[in-house]
Amino acid sequence: MKIVDLVCSAGRTGFYFDDQRAIKKGAKNDGFNYIGEPVTEGFTRIRMPGESISIMLILEDGSVAYGDCAAVQYSGAGGRDPLFLAKDFIPFIEENIKPKLINRDITTFKEMAEEFDNLHIDGKRLHTAIRYGITQAILDAVSKADKITMAEVIKNEYNTGVEIKRVPIFTQSGDDRYINADKMIIKEADVLPHALINNVEKLGRHGEELLKYVAWLRDRVIALRSRDDYNPIFHIDLYGTLGLIFDNNESIVDYMGELENAAMPFKLRVEGPVDVEDREKQMLALRDLTKMVDERGIKLEIVADEWCNTYDDIVYFADNRAGHMLQIKTPDLGGINNIVESILYCIKKGIGAYCGGTCNETNRSAEVCTNIGIACGAAQVLAKPGMGVDEGYMIVNNEMNRVVALANRKK
C-alpha cells in the first residue's frame, strides 16, 4: 500500500494554552481568563486557544489515515518545546514532510515512526507536536493497510504479550473540582479527579484547603456510589505547590501522611508534589520523597510529571525510582513510538505507567493513545481532551470498548 498524498488542516484542541510560569507568579482569574502579563516566550496573553494540525495521509486505495499534531496546555514550561501555532507549522509540514511521504510504501509502524521521529531539518529535530501527529497518522496507515486495529499493530510489532482488554481510565476535573467529581462518580470513573491544584490558594497556605477537599471527595464517593464495591483511586495533581508551602523539606512527607488518612479507605496518588525547575534536581527530589514515603509505610503513591518529558527522562526517573508512577505525557515525547517504549520500560522496572497527555489535545490523539495504552498494558490512561469530564471520558471509554470488542470477535 502506497501513500499518494498528504493534506493538512488547522484545528482547535479540547482546551487552551496556558502560561504556567505566569500563573505560578500569581496571575489572577477573571472569569475563565487570567489577568496579567505573559511570561513564557510566544504567549501574547496568559490563556490562549489551543491549536492543532491534522495530518491526513491519502492511501492508494482511497482511504485516509490521520493523526493530530498537538502540544500540552503548559507549552514552553518544564523544558518543553515552544508554543505550537498552526499558521507557523502547516507551511513547514507541507514543504518538509509531505515530499518525504508521497509515493512511499507503507512498511511497519516501528520503522516508519522511528524515521520521522528522528528526522532533522536544517540540523534541528522536528517540533514534538509534529512528530506526535505524523506518527499517529503512520500508525493509522499501517492499521488500515493490515486491516487490524491500531492496538493490534502495536501489540504485534512490539511483542507486548498483553491481552487486549480495558485498562483504568483517569478523568480530570479542571477547576470545577466539585461538580465534575460528581460526574466522575456517577459514571464510575476508575481514577479521579485530577483537581488542578496549580496554585497555593487552592492548596491552602498550610495545605488545609486540599485536606478538606480530599475528605469531601471521600465522603462524596461513599454518598453517591450505586454499589459498595465501586472504589476509585484518588489522583490529585499538585503542580509543585507542596514544595512551595513546605519549602521543599521533609514536612512534605508528613503532609502526605495526612492526605492519605483523609482519603481512606480509598487509595491516593499525588502528582507533581514539587517542581524544582531542573531535571536532575527534580529527579533527586522525587527519588528522596518516594524513599521516605516507602520507609514510613505510607501507601500513598507519588506520580512524576514535570521534567519527566522524553523517553530518556522516563528511563532516568524509572531507573532511580523517582516516583511510584510516571506520567508519560504523550505529546511531550514526540513520536508515539516513544510512548510505547516508555510504557514498556516502566513495566519492566516495576514502575506504574500512566499513559497521560493533556487536556489540550484532540479526539484523534486521544483515540490513538488509548490504543497504545491497551496494547502495552498501561496502569491507567487519561480521559482527554478537555476538562469537562463527559467528552474526554466518552472518547476514551468508547474507543477502548470498540477495540476490545473487535479483539474479542477474533477469539
Side-chain angles (χ1 to χ4, degrees):
M1 181 84 73
K2 285 185 182 293
I3 298 167
V4 298
D5 201 2
L6 181 154
V7 178
C8 290
S9 65
R12 291 295 193 195
T13 61
F15 205 65
Y16 298 79
F17 292 126
D18 286 344
D19 185 345
Q20 187 183 55
R21 291 192 183 99
I23 293 169
K24 283 188 173 182
K25 287 180 179 291
K28 300 297 183 183
N29 286 105
D30 173 28
F32 193 68
N33 193 30
Y34 283 100
I35 298 174
E37 294 298 317
V39 176
T40 303
E41 184 179 356
F43 279 81
T44 55
R45 55 193 300 173
I46 294 173
R47 171 159 282 174
M48 297 173 58
E51 299 188 16
S52 65
I53 299 172
S54 287
I55 296 180
M56 295 170 278
L57 303 180
I58 315 302
L59 309 186
E60 62 180 334
D61 66 354
S63 59
V64 180
Y66 77 102
D68 281 354
C69 305
V72 297
Q73 175 187 7
Y74 297 117
S75 290
R80 298 185 176 100
D81 275 356
L83 202 60
F84 183 75
L85 302 177
K87 67 178 177 59
D88 296 332
F89 288 101
I90 286 179
F92 178 89
I93 293 167
E94 291 176 339
E95 180 180 348
N96 296 285
I97 307 301
K98 183 174 180 175
K100 298 181 185 302
L101 280 166
I102 291 179
N103 294 322
R104 283 281 298 268
D105 284 313
I106 297 169
T107 56
T108 67
F109 164 72
K110 190 173 188 296
E111 176 188 355
M112 295 182 72
E114 288 178 355
E115 175 188 341
F116 283 88
D117 186 48
N118 291 300
L119 181 65
H120 287 67
I121 303 294
D122 297 329
K124 294 182 180 179
R125 200 172 184 188
L126 303 177
H127 192 291
T128 49
I130 296 176
R131 290 186 274 136
Y132 192 46
I134 190 63
T135 52
Q136 291 171 40
I138 289 169
L139 177 58
D140 191 22
V142 174
S143 168
K144 284 181 164 59
D146 292 349
K147 295 181 172 54
I148 56 177
T149 63
M150 291 182 282
E152 290 167 300
V153 172
I154 297 298
K155 177 182 176 180
N156 295 343
E157 290 195 20
Y158 288 85
N159 297 311
T160 64
V162 305
E163 180 186 354
I164 300 293
K165 63 180 183 180
R166 286 184 61 88
V167 296
I169 300 174
F170 172 35
T171 47
Q172 52 185 347
S173 66
D175 277 325
D176 204 355
R177 61 188 62 82
Y178 291 93
I179 293 297
N180 279 343
D182 281 0
K183 295 180 182 180
M184 297 167 183
I185 297 164
I186 292 168
K187 291 194 171 181
E188 297 192 344
D190 305 294
V191 188
L192 53 87
H194 184 268
L196 195 69
I197 308 299
N198 62 352
N199 63 42
V200 171
E201 183 179 344
K202 298 172 185 177
L203 177 65
R205 290 290 167 184
H206 305 285
E208 70 280 2
E209 296 301 324
L210 180 58
L211 279 170
K212 285 190 285 188
Y213 176 72
V214 169
W216 173 87
L217 185 64
R218 172 203 64 208
D219 293 343
R220 197 64 174 163
V221 171
I222 292 169
L224 289 186
R225 64 184 176 185
S226 59
R227 53 189 177 88
D228 290 341
D229 61 350
Y230 171 57
N231 295 300
I233 295 170
F234 293 178
H235 183 137
I236 309 289
D237 195 344
L238 296 172
Y239 294 87
T241 53
L242 284 191
L244 296 177
I245 67 169
F246 293 115
D247 197 25
N248 291 318
N249 62 41
E250 202 168 323
S251 300
I252 292 172
V253 182
D254 298 330
Y255 180 75
M256 285 180 178
E258 294 181 58
L259 280 177
E260 179 186 43
N261 289 332
M264 286 182 178
F266 303 105
K267 182 175 180 176
L268 176 64
R269 294 180 181 135
V270 293
E271 182 174 345
V274 301
D275 181 359
V276 294
E277 299 195 348
D278 176 87
R279 177 179 182 261
E280 182 180 6
K281 290 178 182 177
Q282 182 77 355
M283 183 282 292
L284 293 171
L286 292 185
R287 181 199 67 184
D288 293 346
L289 285 174
T290 301
K291 184 178 180 183
M292 285 188 281
V293 163
D294 290 344
E295 287 174 347
R296 293 196 192 183
I298 298 171
K299 301 302 181 184
L300 169 149
E301 292 183 345
I302 294 171
V303 183
D305 179 10
E306 304 298 338
W307 298 97
C308 188
N309 300 329
T310 66
Y311 172 72
D312 289 342
D313 294 339
I314 297 289
V315 170
Y316 183 49
F317 277 62
D319 284 349
N320 288 282
R321 195 169 172 75
H324 302 94
M325 171 179 278
L326 306 186
Q327 179 179 180
I328 297 154
K329 199 135 191 170
T330 54
D332 285 337
L333 272 76
I336 60 171
N337 50 298
N338 298 310
I339 305 172
V340 178
E341 300 281 9
S342 296
I343 295 173
L344 296 178
Y345 193 84
C346 285
I347 293 171
K348 176 183 174 183
K349 288 290 182 173
I351 302 287
Y354 160 25
C355 185
T358 174
C359 53
N360 193 46
E361 293 191 53
T362 70
N363 60 305
R364 186 52 175 173
S365 63
E367 290 167 351
V368 175
C369 289
T370 300
N371 275 264
I372 295 171
I374 294 169
C376 297
Q380 64 185 41
V381 299
L382 180 63
K384 58 186 182 181
M387 290 285 197
V389 179
D390 299 310
E391 301 85 354
Y393 184 81
M394 172 192 67
I395 289 166
V396 171
N397 179 76
N398 293 0
E399 177 68 6
M400 193 177 291
N401 285 346
R402 282 190 291 265
V403 172
V404 171
L406 290 170
N408 286 338
R409 174 180 176 269
K410 295 177 182 178
K411 293 178 182 178

